[in-house]
Amino acid sequence: MKKAYLNWSSGKDASLALHQLSKLGDFSVEKLVTTLNTDFNRISMHGVRKELLQQQAENLQIPLHIIPLNGEVSLELYNEIMQKHTLKLKSEGFEHSIFGDIFLEDLKTYREKELEKIGIKSVFPLWKKDTRKLANEFIDLGYKAIVVCTSAKQLNESFCGRVFDKNFLSDLPENVDPCGENGEFHTFVFDGPLFKKPIDFEIGEKVLRDFSSNKKEENDCFAEPQNWDHKFWFMDLIAR
């Protein structure tokens, strides 16, 4: 099998990519790689606490590789940091990098271009698949996730903090992608077939954050499309 690492966001798309690869048997996923915003000690964009990320890795029984990023990191420094960590992974024998992206062409091209420089191949197991089918497949497989971040422009406050289930999908406005592939929402997966046990957490505070004053185009700019929204609702989850 091909030695690979998975770019782990803590959400449903990364989980579904991992699940599909586990069934195919072509890749051996031996590490989860996650960028962490060091200003808040939380996963970039998803806003999930480091402790919960670590619990996910423990329950999936896959080692975790954290890439620390300052909240105001420039694009140039971002690329430098990512290259440094990718070279380290390459030195450990990793030859394939797996992503849960579905149809963001610019993002896919960027990933492939940067990894080609180092000699690592990009793998996109969910690419161009029907997002409604993927969302239902995730739920039907028995995975459980909670919505931890929503775009205030695309969804009202009530969607943040809801369980990602078929009721959630049916309530989404028509213009919102079922997988939130355009940055409409992000999730945290807390249980499923690949998890050793469910992750125990409690619901914290829901807050609205405005990133309009940040240099978003230079900060983790590849996590969202170019026409990103700047106001997001975040639901805090607290590990027990």
Side-chain angles (χ1 to χ4, degrees), residues 8 18 32 55-62 194-196:
W8 182 256
L18 179 62
L32 304 178
Q55 285 192 32
Q56 281 185 322
E58 290 170 6
N59 279 288
L60 289 167
Q61 300 177 81
I62 302 175
L194 295 180
F195 283 71
K196 184 172 60 176

Side-chain angles (χ1 to χ4, degrees), residues 25 38-39 64 72 81 116:
T38 55
D39 289 353
L64 179 64
E72 295 295 328
I81 293 171
E116 280 175 7

Side-chain angles (χ1 to χ4, degrees), residues 53-96:
L53 168 64
Q54 292 170 325
Q55 285 192 32
Q56 281 185 322
E58 290 170 6
N59 279 288
L60 289 167
Q61 300 177 81
I62 302 175
L64 179 64
H65 180 105
I66 291 177
I67 301 178
L69 292 172
N70 180 277
E72 295 295 328
V73 65
S74 67
L75 175 55
E76 182 181 1
L77 182 56
Y78 173 91
N79 285 334
E80 184 180 317
I81 293 171
M82 294 302 291
Q83 185 177 73
K84 175 185 175 181
H85 283 267
T86 307
L87 283 169
K88 184 178 187 303
L89 291 163
K90 172 81 171 179
S91 71
E92 295 173 2
F94 289 94
E95 298 181 345
H96 294 82

Side-chain angles (χ1 to χ4, degrees), residues 1 17 23 43 71 78 87 103 130 133 167 176 180 183 208 215:
M1 286 197 293
K23 298 302 179 184
I43 299 173
Y78 173 91
L87 283 169
F103 54 63
D130 184 287
K133 289 181 179 179
N167 287 331
V176 173
L208 178 65
K215 295 181 180 179

Side-chain angles (χ1 to χ4, degrees), residues 8-139:
W8 182 256
S9 64
S10 80
K12 60 183 176 19
D13 297 340
S15 296
L16 191 54
L18 179 62
H19 184 95
Q20 292 194 1
L21 290 178
S22 71
K23 298 302 179 184
L24 292 174
D26 295 333
F27 296 91
S28 174
V29 179
E30 299 181 20
K31 192 157 285 189
L32 304 178
V33 176
T34 307
T35 58
L36 199 75
N37 186 321
T38 55
D39 289 353
F40 302 99
N41 216 25
R42 295 170 183 258
I43 299 173
S44 301
M45 272 315 299
H46 287 226
V48 173
R49 294 172 184 247
K50 180 180 178 180
E51 300 92 326
L52 289 169
L53 168 64
Q54 292 170 325
Q55 285 192 32
Q56 281 185 322
E58 290 170 6
N59 279 288
L60 289 167
Q61 300 177 81
I62 302 175
L64 179 64
H65 180 105
I66 291 177
I67 301 178
L69 292 172
N70 180 277
E72 295 295 328
V73 65
S74 67
L75 175 55
E76 182 181 1
L77 182 56
Y78 173 91
N79 285 334
E80 184 180 317
I81 293 171
M82 294 302 291
Q83 185 177 73
K84 175 185 175 181
H85 283 267
T86 307
L87 283 169
K88 184 178 187 303
L89 291 163
K90 172 81 171 179
S91 71
E92 295 173 2
F94 289 94
E95 298 181 345
H96 294 82
S97 179
I98 299 163
F99 298 93
D101 302 314
I102 304 172
F103 54 63
L104 297 180
E105 295 281 358
D106 291 346
L107 181 57
K108 182 174 184 288
T109 300
Y110 164 77
R111 298 198 196 282
E112 291 173 330
K113 181 180 177 182
E114 292 301 309
L115 289 172
E116 280 175 7
K117 297 176 183 177
I118 297 170
I120 290 181
K121 295 180 180 179
S122 305
V123 181
F124 299 85
L126 307 183
W127 189 247
K128 292 297 185 181
K129 294 188 177 181
D130 184 287
T131 51
R132 184 161 297 280
K133 289 181 179 179
L134 288 175
N136 281 289
E137 179 184 357
F138 175 86
I139 296 166

Side-chain angles (χ1 to χ4, degrees), residues 183-230:
E184 300 99 328
F185 63 89
H186 299 287
T187 58
F188 172 78
V189 181
F190 59 90
D191 196 11
L194 295 180
F195 283 71
K196 184 172 60 176
K197 63 179 181 179
I199 295 173
D200 192 17
F201 63 90
E202 61 184 51
I203 302 295
E205 183 183 8
K206 185 189 297 186
V207 297
L208 178 65
R209 294 197 62 206
D210 189 340
F211 295 92
S212 58
S213 61
N214 290 2
K215 295 181 180 179
K216 178 62 183 178
E217 70 278 6
E218 297 180 354
N219 174 25
D220 197 24
C221 58
F222 306 105
E224 299 294 337
Q226 292 298 318
N227 59 338
W228 61 280
D229 300 329
H230 60 84

